[in-house]
Amino acid sequence: MAKILIAYFSHAGENYVGGTLRSIEHGNTEIIANKLRAQLPSADLFHIETVTPYPEDYRQCVAVAEREYNESARPQLKGKVENMDQYDTLVLGFPCWHGTMPMACFTFLSSYNLRGKTIIPFCTNEGSGMGRSEADIKRLCRGSKIKEGTSINGSNVNSADAEVDSIAYMAR
């Protein structure tokens, strides 16, 4: 049986949801990652977190994310996956920021040799879809098998059971 890692980056606090700004206790990507973990009980879960947290305020967070994107920054991460070699499959979740993954996900992917692994991306967003993230993952993870990503509307994470089922099916 393949060993699966669900790694995700998520942002709680003030978020753009359904056309308005509102404060959320758990980020949309975190909600989907936890639903996936329930479907894949033998999978391990890893929360990608930066040493310097992103601001909870939406506009301030967007400004930091834009600066990082424009500078191709690689923010330092809090933790590291121990023994990444043990995993055959990486399910990678993130919100779409500036048309791709947050730069913290670039740091995460660049920190490991993922050659030969299957990567299954999923992205929460409010209409931008996967953006360029799949192409960016392919560029960063040469030699990995990249499955087609799943775009999930952030406003609908609580009812995204079909999308979660599809991702879990690909990971099995």
Side-chain angles (χ1 to χ4, degrees):
M1 179 187 290
K3 183 82 171 148
I4 302 166
L5 174 66
I6 302 165
Y8 71 94
F9 175 88
S10 196
H11 181 261
E14 193 175 47
N15 276 260
Y16 186 72
V17 180
T20 62
L21 291 178
R22 71 173 207 217
S23 185
I24 57 175
E25 183 178 351
H26 299 284
N28 295 323
T29 309
E30 179 181 11
I31 291 168
I32 297 297
N34 284 315
K35 285 178 172 241
L36 281 166
R37 178 64 176 80
Q39 291 254 354
L40 301 165
S42 64
D44 293 329
L45 192 64
F46 181 80
H47 185 184
I48 301 168
E49 297 178 271
T50 54
V51 170
T52 303
Y54 290 89
E56 284 194 27
D57 177 88
Y58 178 79
R59 287 175 182 80
Q60 291 175 8
C61 181
V62 167
V64 170
E66 182 176 21
R67 186 184 75 246
E68 287 181 349
Y69 174 77
N70 288 336
E71 296 172 358
S72 296
R74 296 296 185 265
Q76 187 178 358
L77 303 181
K78 272 188 181 180
K80 188 165 178 72
V81 174
E82 297 301 325
N83 197 9
M84 180 64 92
D85 291 344
Q86 71 180 312
Y87 298 104
D88 305 298
T89 301
L90 168 62
V91 179
L92 179 66
F94 49 88
C96 188
W97 285 6
H98 297 286
T100 191
M101 308 173 284
M103 299 314 288
C105 291
F106 282 76
T107 302
F108 177 81
L109 292 173
S110 298
S111 298
Y112 305 98
N113 177 359
L114 300 173
R115 185 171 296 280
K117 298 189 184 306
T118 298
I119 302 175
I120 304 168
F122 72 91
C123 172
T124 58
N125 61 83
E126 286 297 315
S128 59
M130 296 294 295
R132 296 178 305 281
S133 60
E134 291 167 297
D136 287 337
I137 293 168
K138 287 176 184 174
R139 184 175 44 80
L140 289 168
C141 302
R142 296 187 198 288
S144 299
K145 179 180 179 183
I146 315 299
K147 298 258 185 150
E148 183 177 348
T150 301
S151 172
I152 302 170
N153 186 287
S155 301
N156 300 327
V157 293
N158 291 317
S159 61
D161 297 334
E163 291 90 338
V164 170
D165 289 347
S166 176
I167 297 165
Y169 178 79
M170 282 190 279
R172 287 188 183 99

